[in-house]
């Protein structure tokens, strides 16, 4: 009964380094999302996907790339990390009408 | 552009106080309104899905009401406890895009 699993849970990067965050869901959901959460800013949508092989930009896509090669996985990439990308990242899956299931979050610090 | 507004932004109450907060959303093309509870260092957890005008849902000491005609939902907590301290988010589906539009949340602190 895993639901939505995010890896890693914590990461510290140096400015300019790259990394990929993995989100995996076992609920057969078509829709998946990546959000970032910053103090006082609520949840902001980075990118989302409405099905395997599709991706779309959200509110704050700059500096991030995503891929959805398999239905169950949604990857978020940072090609050249910047301190402004220090945040907590949440993945979610599901359709808005029925509600989302969230992953447990990834705390990323860029120094 | 759909807008979901929550008030107040934050609330500090004493243990045992009852409290309530508001979520305002567009009243046209209503499908559902979601409430989430988000504890610090955890992920948002679904509380209620409200779909019918006049709906009232209850989970222990927490309840929610819905008015789709005027576009608001209230969340009530009766006899607040320190473990109720969290951010409470409401969210509204954005048309047929599958996306949820989240409010900024109401952060509740319950002092023992």
């Amino acid at each position: 009964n895993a639901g939505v699993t995010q890896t890693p849970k914590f990461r510290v990067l140096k400015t300019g380094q790259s990394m990929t965050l993995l989100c995996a869901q076992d609920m057969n959901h078509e829709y998946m999302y990546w959000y970032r959460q910053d103090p006082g800013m609520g949840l902001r949508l980075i990118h989302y996907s409405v099905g395997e092989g599709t991706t779309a930009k959200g509110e704050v896509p700059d500096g991030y790339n995503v891929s959805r090669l398999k239905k169950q996985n949604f990857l978020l990439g940072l090609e050249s990390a910047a301190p402004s990308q220090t945040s907590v990242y949440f993945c979610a899956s599901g359709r808005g009408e029925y509600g989302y299931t969230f992953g447990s979050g990834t705390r990323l610090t860029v120094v | 552009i759909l807008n979901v507004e929550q008030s107040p932004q934050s609330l500090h109450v004493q243990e045992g106080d009852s409290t309530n907060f508001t979520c305002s959303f567009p009243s046209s093309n209503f499908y559902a309104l979601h409430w989430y509870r988000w504890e610090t260092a955890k992920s948002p957890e679904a509380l209620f899905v409200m779909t019918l005008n006049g709906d009232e849902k209850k989970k222990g000491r927490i309840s929610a009401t819905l008015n789709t005609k005027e576009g608001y939902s209230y969340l009530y907590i009766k006899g607040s406890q320190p473990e109720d301290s969290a951010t409470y988010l409401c969210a509204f589906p954005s048309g047929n895009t599958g996306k949820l539009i989240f409010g900024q949340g109401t952060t509740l602190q319950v002092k023992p």
Side-chain angles (χ1 to χ4, degrees):
Chain A
N1 228 18
V4 177
T5 303
Q6 281 183 243
T7 52
K9 292 195 187 309
F10 303 94
R11 186 74 186 266
V12 178
L13 283 181
K14 291 183 180 175
T15 298
Q17 284 186 319
S18 63
M19 78 163 292
T20 300
L21 282 67
L22 171 64
C23 177
Q25 53 99 358
D26 61 2
M27 296 171 287
N28 204 33
H29 286 159
E30 293 288 344
Y31 288 62
M32 296 185 75
Y33 314 83
W34 276 107
Y35 287 88
R36 60 179 287 174
Q37 185 242 335
D38 302 292
M41 304 289 285
L43 284 168
R44 292 187 292 168
L45 183 64
I46 305 170
H47 285 282
Y48 65 102
S49 168
V50 301
E52 183 179 313
T54 75
T55 63
K57 292 180 182 180
E59 297 172 71
V60 289
D62 294 340
Y64 305 95
N65 57 72
V66 286
S67 65
R68 185 97 181 268
L69 298 179
K70 292 183 181 180
K71 185 177 183 179
Q72 62 267 34
N73 295 337
F74 193 28
L75 278 62
L76 178 72
L78 285 73
E79 286 188 352
S80 179
S84 59
Q85 294 177 304
T86 293
S87 188
V88 181
Y89 292 86
F90 285 97
C91 174
S93 73
R95 274 191 70 96
E97 295 90 330
Y98 311 115
Y100 294 168
T101 300
F102 283 88
S104 56
T106 297
R107 187 171 293 275
L108 175 67
T109 303
V110 183
V111 298
Chain B
I1 296 175
L2 293 178
N3 214 23
V4 178
E5 303 275 351
Q6 288 188 250
S7 63
Q9 192 173 345
S10 64
L11 205 49
H12 292 78
V13 302
Q14 290 294 133
E15 184 175 352
D17 287 351
S18 293
T19 188
N20 66 85
F21 18 96
T22 307
C23 172
S24 301
F25 53 86
S27 54
S28 58
N29 297 320
F30 179 82
Y31 188 93
L33 191 282
H34 300 268
W35 281 101
Y36 288 87
R37 182 169 179 273
W38 193 6
E39 289 182 75
T40 303
K42 294 188 178 179
S43 56
E45 185 184 328
L47 266 179
F48 302 116
V49 181
M50 319 282 291
T51 53
L52 296 174
N53 185 42
D55 226 0
E56 181 169 346
K57 298 257 173 129
K58 195 171 179 183
K59 196 181 236 184
R61 293 177 291 97
I62 305 177
S63 60
T65 60
L66 179 69
N67 183 323
T68 59
K69 293 181 180 176
E70 295 182 34
Y72 64 83
S73 175
Y74 292 138
L75 191 80
Y76 299 92
I77 302 179
K78 187 177 175 183
S80 304
Q81 298 297 307
E83 57 265 31
D84 294 329
S85 298
T87 295
Y88 292 83
L89 291 172
C90 69
F92 184 81
S94 170
N96 59 358
T97 67
K99 291 187 289 179
L100 279 176
I101 307 298
F102 286 90
Q104 291 291 324
T106 293
T107 299
L108 174 67
Q109 282 278 14
V110 183
K111 297 177 187 174

